[in-house]
Amino acid sequence: LAAHGYPEAPRAGDPIDGLTHDPGPDCKIFHSGTRVVGDRIVSSGGRVLSACALGDNLDRARTRAYAALAQIELKGSFFRHDIGHRALMSF
């Protein structure tokens, strides 16, 4: 999940909501561009969060990771929708 303005001028200080949502037992959210301000987690860099998931196959793992990201709200943020696409096409 990348911050608004990434990569040229990523915006910092935007609050991140949805992090208390349970992504499931086979999914983890990793922080890379976050910091705590008061009682909030806010963006502090370009690449803000990553979602990793397990599944019975690549498609299921990918679906779980994207579902976890969909629960997170960060104004102006975006993420790639093609991760694993080439690998899926080879099956």
Side-chain angles (χ1 to χ4, degrees):
L1 183 75
H4 175 78
Y6 177 82
E8 290 84 18
R11 189 169 62 204
D14 289 333
I16 305 169
D17 293 313
L19 292 172
T20 57
H21 174 75
D22 182 7
D26 294 329
C27 187
K28 301 289 183 204
I29 303 296
F30 294 95
H31 293 241
S32 55
T34 63
R35 64 187 169 107
V36 177
V37 175
D39 62 349
R40 301 291 314 259
I41 297 176
V42 301
S43 62
S44 67
R47 295 180 183 179
V48 180
L49 301 166
S50 295
C52 294
L54 299 175
D56 295 336
N57 56 50
L58 178 59
D59 185 49
R60 182 69 179 138
R62 184 175 182 259
T63 298
R64 286 179 176 167
Y66 282 127
L69 284 176
Q71 299 298 317
I72 297 170
E73 296 177 29
L74 173 60
K75 186 176 181 180
S77 67
F78 62 96
F79 54 87
R80 290 179 50 179
H81 293 269
D82 64 338
I83 302 297
H85 177 71
R86 287 187 189 140
L88 285 173
M89 296 303 290
S90 67
F91 287 103

